[in-house]
Amino acid sequence: MQVKNYLELQQALEAGEETIELVNSINAVNGIGLKPGQKLVGSGEGILLSFIHGDGVALSANNELKNLALQTAPGRRAIYIDSALEDLGEIQLQDLTVTGMVQLLTRAPNKTLSLKLENLDIVSADARSYPERPMKYGVNVYQGALTVYNFNPQEGSEITLRGENISVGRPLAPVLGSGIFISGFGDDAGPVTVERLTTGEVHSNGMIPTGQPNLITGAIFVVYGVHAKEIISQGPTTTYGTNDMVLDVWGQVDQWTVKGKVTSYGSSGIGFVNFGVVKNFHAQAPIETYGLGARGFNQYDGTIENARFTRIKTAGDGSIGMQFSKPVGTITIEEAVTTQGATGETLVKGVLKELQAHAISVLEGGSIRQLNLLGDLHVQGEDVAAYHISGGTVEKLNLKGKITVDSEKSQAVVLEDGGTSDLTDLKKYLN
């Protein structure tokens, strides 16, 4: 059924029309709700459905939104789930340009949901006001412009997701809160399975005050209870605020390929931080962080089996290039790890700590089975080290590049507090 104004749209929805086609843009006074099985599509290009008051489109089960632009105030939900059904069937969002949050959150009695997202572009959103926030490692996490969240801990609840070409925010005009946020209820309840996720540009800013120790965001955040089989970051991924992680994992990722540049401009930000289990990670583009305590890569919990990085650059006091405090498998640096900074304050597991801007640091409890340094390690700053093993272990080191420092007060290689390393390729750097 074709509709051309808000009154006709309301009538079609109430009548239970299966497919409702908007033939021109509509400025709706209030939000609307789709009954199970209803579809809302645009008849051609340039169809905008905007909402003057409150939230936008409420989904129930087996719904489809296609070929539309949807607009609410950025702090409201342009698309969300409002259903008392256990089985929500399959919800499809395709070819959508959105202003406002897309919140696909299920809670009891909702149990099962299959999501198919394709060509979803969220221009602007503010996700900071929503109270459901994961908490672990001493921090809470803001939801995202795109939120997929299983908030039902009951046995048998599950969300499955396939998302293709998801974009969030704009350069220098990021969404507020997290960017793409995917979470289960917990580590062992309310799971989410991501069959495949591909992203375009993602730009986010948590707008978290400097010095706030217990709140974080992520541009792409795979939270606990999530098993992502494949993620491909096609475009650049950027964060702008304090405590904003660019790529963050608390769950499990089988394969993550990063083709676009990863950049953090905020203090205590991290290019890629892993608390979960990652099998294979490949950053084909540089990771760069700018700001006090902004680090390139951190392994704080869990493990990573095989990670390959092109280049990591940090600029700021306390901005470590790579830090390991848990056992990992094979780590490969193709070009370089460089840092510009000395000692500075940064957020670690919900606590502000003083760190030195080492290029690579392996701490007590951390170990690297094989470290392939095919490029250089270089630090620009005082009282830092390019290769710093403090209580940790590097079992096999394959060093093809150079290890250099700019300051006489810094050292190329430091082994301390019982730290050990394969020394075959390090002999010329040892005193």
Side-chain angles (χ1 to χ4, degrees):
M1 178 180 181
Q2 291 188 334
V3 300
K4 60 181 181 296
N5 56 49
Y6 181 49
L7 178 60
E8 291 181 357
L9 174 58
Q10 287 181 306
Q11 291 171 341
L13 291 167
E14 186 61 32
E17 294 287 345
E18 182 177 345
T19 301
I20 302 170
E21 184 179 5
L22 276 60
V23 298
N24 53 251
S25 296
I26 294 176
N27 195 15
V29 177
N30 295 304
I32 61 173
L34 271 59
K35 295 181 179 180
Q38 286 188 311
K39 303 175 182 178
L40 188 63
V41 302
S43 64
E45 295 183 0
I47 303 296
L48 171 64
L49 176 58
S50 57
F51 299 90
I52 298 174
H53 302 294
D55 295 325
V57 181
L59 308 175
S60 56
N62 292 306
N63 299 128
E64 180 178 342
L65 297 175
K66 183 178 180 180
N67 197 32
L68 287 168
L70 299 169
Q71 184 176 37
T72 62
R76 304 307 295 252
R77 299 174 297 177
I79 303 170
Y80 65 105
I81 291 173
D82 184 12
S83 178
L85 299 175
E86 281 196 6
D87 183 6
L88 304 187
E90 182 176 275
I91 288 177
Q92 298 184 55
L93 307 180
Q94 182 177 350
D95 300 324
L96 301 179
T97 301
V98 179
T99 299
M101 185 179 175
V102 178
Q103 187 195 62
L104 305 171
L105 183 150
T106 58
R107 66 179 83 241
N110 310 145
K111 277 197 171 181
T112 55
L113 169 63
S114 174
L115 289 172
K116 290 189 176 180
L117 315 180
E118 184 176 359
N119 300 329
L120 173 62
D121 181 12
I122 303 176
V123 178
S124 176
D126 185 348
R128 295 173 297 164
S129 65
Y130 294 89
E132 302 91 352
R133 299 174 185 172
M135 181 178 68
K136 198 176 182 181
Y137 306 113
V139 295
N140 291 270
V141 185
Y142 277 142
Q143 291 185 39
L146 171 62
T147 290
V148 177
Y149 200 168
N150 185 350
F151 207 67
N152 184 355
Q154 296 176 356
E155 184 177 355
S157 73
E158 182 179 12
I159 295 176
T160 60
L161 167 66
R162 179 174 287 271
E164 298 283 354
N165 191 28
I166 312 299
S167 297
V168 174
R170 298 291 186 270
L172 300 178
V175 299
L176 303 184
S178 292
I180 297 172
F181 166 106
I182 306 172
S183 182
F185 185 84
D187 290 315
D188 302 311
V192 177
T193 300
V194 180
E195 297 292 341
R196 175 179 161 94
L197 174 67
T198 68
T199 65
E201 295 198 19
V202 179
H203 304 273
S204 67
N205 183 355
M207 298 286 277
I208 299 168
T210 299
Q212 169 68 267
N214 60 355
L215 190 59
I216 68 170
T217 71
I220 303 176
F221 208 137
V222 178
V223 195
Y224 48 40
V226 179
H227 177 195
K229 297 180 181 179
E230 181 180 28
I231 302 175
I232 303 175
S233 301
Q234 300 275 13
T237 309
T238 310
T239 59
Y240 293 87
T242 299
N243 300 358
D244 289 348
M245 312 300 120
V246 188
L247 312 178
D248 201 334
V249 177
W250 289 6
Q252 178 178 336
V253 178
D254 292 345
Q255 179 72 45
W256 196 332
T257 303
V258 180
K259 298 183 178 182
K261 188 176 180 181
V262 172
T263 311
S264 166
Y265 290 108
S267 60
S268 289
I270 304 178
F272 174 37
V273 56
N274 182 33
F275 286 85
V277 176
V278 177
K279 292 184 179 179
N280 295 287
F281 177 88
H282 188 185
Q284 299 175 1
I287 294 176
E288 296 183 358
T289 68
Y290 301 88
L292 178 68
R295 290 141 285 166
F297 170 75
N298 275 132
Q299 182 72 50
Y300 280 141
D301 203 351
T303 190
I304 192 164
E305 294 181 10
N306 186 18
R308 193 174 190 95
F309 300 85
T310 300
R311 183 170 69 252
I312 293 177
K313 172 186 174 182
T314 70
D317 291 341
S319 296
I320 292 174
M322 307 181 77
Q323 188 174 62
F324 302 83
S325 56
K326 293 292 180 180
V328 300
T330 300
I331 306 294
T332 301
I333 307 299
E334 295 175 348
E335 295 182 8
V337 177
T338 62
T339 67
Q340 301 172 9
T343 300
E345 190 176 66
T346 189
L347 181 69
V348 180
K349 293 186 178 181
V351 179
L352 292 171
K353 294 184 176 182
E354 292 282 326
L355 295 181
Q356 295 166 284
H358 307 307
I360 289 181
S361 178
V362 185
L363 303 179
E364 183 178 0
S367 65
I368 303 175
R369 187 176 65 245
Q370 180 167 326
L371 178 58
N372 299 315
L373 295 177
L374 309 183
D376 299 338
L377 298 184
H378 182 67
V379 291
Q380 301 176 38
E382 294 186 352
D383 297 318
V384 296
Y387 186 74
H388 176 253
I389 313 298
S390 178
T393 300
V394 176
E395 297 177 16
K396 175 63 178 177
L397 174 63
N398 178 25
L399 176 61
K400 300 299 183 183
K402 298 178 181 179
I403 302 177
T404 56
V405 300
D406 273 5
S407 171
E408 293 181 355
K409 295 183 178 180
S410 295
Q411 295 176 267
V413 176
V414 173
L415 303 179
E416 62 183 7
D417 296 332
T420 61
S421 174
D422 174 11
L423 301 179
T424 305
D425 295 330
L426 283 179
K427 291 180 180 178
K428 63 182 177 180
Y429 299 103
L430 300 174
N431 295 326

